[in-house]
Amino acid sequence: MTRSNAREIAVHLVFEQGFSGQSTDELLDQVLKRPVFELIGQEEPLYAQFPNVGQREYISTLVRGVDAHRGELDGYISKYAIGWNISRIPRVVVAILRVCMYEILYMQDIPNAATINEAVELTKHYEEQELAAFVNGILGSFVRTEPLPVPETAPAPDAFEEAGEDL
């Protein structure tokens, strides 16, 4: 599974959490299971490969982090979505922005440009082209304006380069 796929699954879970009454841990415990991936994977290729331990950790970190920092992330979205009320932005776009802003703020081993590019590509996949430009503008302004943490010099081992699956 690629980091892009794991990020997209995290976006799905952040999006779903907005509709379910489940806690983050309940949602993660329910979805991050091999039988669930096998079932969903029959119709959705994104779920065809069950994530290994490191990949599940990455997905969980994103979903838990977005939940823990939702107010902060929504504040940034509101600040940089000039002329837009967050309630007018499609929910999937809000989920993408939350996940990618969290990654930029709290996961410095991933280059900001890569995160922004992934956000734009995810938006193109789920929404109209105009919204992809909107997302690019918000995230570009965000990284140029906000005092962001300095990336760590030695990146952590990458769970996405591992070939095998862990249980």
Side-chain angles (χ1 to χ4, degrees), residues 132-152:
F134 176 71
V135 165
N136 188 51
I138 288 173
L139 293 173
S141 295
F142 173 69
V143 298
R144 284 190 305 276
T145 307
E146 292 300 320
L148 301 174
V150 177
E152 298 173 10

Side-chain angles (χ1 to χ4, degrees), residues 12 17 44-46 49 52-53 116 138-139 141-143 153-154 164:
H12 285 190
Q17 194 169 26
E44 174 57 60
L46 177 65
Q49 182 181 3
N52 67 31
V53 171
I116 292 170
I138 288 173
L139 293 173
S141 295
F142 173 69
V143 298
T153 55

Side-chain angles (χ1 to χ4, degrees), residues 30-99:
Q30 177 187 352
V31 175
L32 292 180
K33 294 186 178 196
R34 188 175 301 278
V36 173
F37 269 71
E38 288 172 358
L39 180 65
I40 297 172
Q42 293 173 8
E43 294 185 22
E44 174 57 60
L46 177 65
Y47 291 83
Q49 182 181 3
F50 186 68
N52 67 31
V53 171
Q55 295 158 353
R56 289 192 307 270
E57 171 80 17
Y58 172 74
I59 293 166
S60 297
T61 297
L62 284 173
V63 175
R64 284 187 179 109
V66 167
D67 184 50
H69 295 274
R70 184 176 313 274
E72 173 191 14
L73 300 170
D74 288 356
Y76 285 128
I77 293 168
S78 295
K79 179 178 178 179
Y80 292 101
I82 299 169
W84 285 72
N85 185 311
I86 196 167
S87 65
R88 286 185 50 219
I89 301 171
R91 287 184 175 190
V92 72
V93 173
V94 172
I96 291 167
L97 287 167
R98 285 173 176 160
V99 166

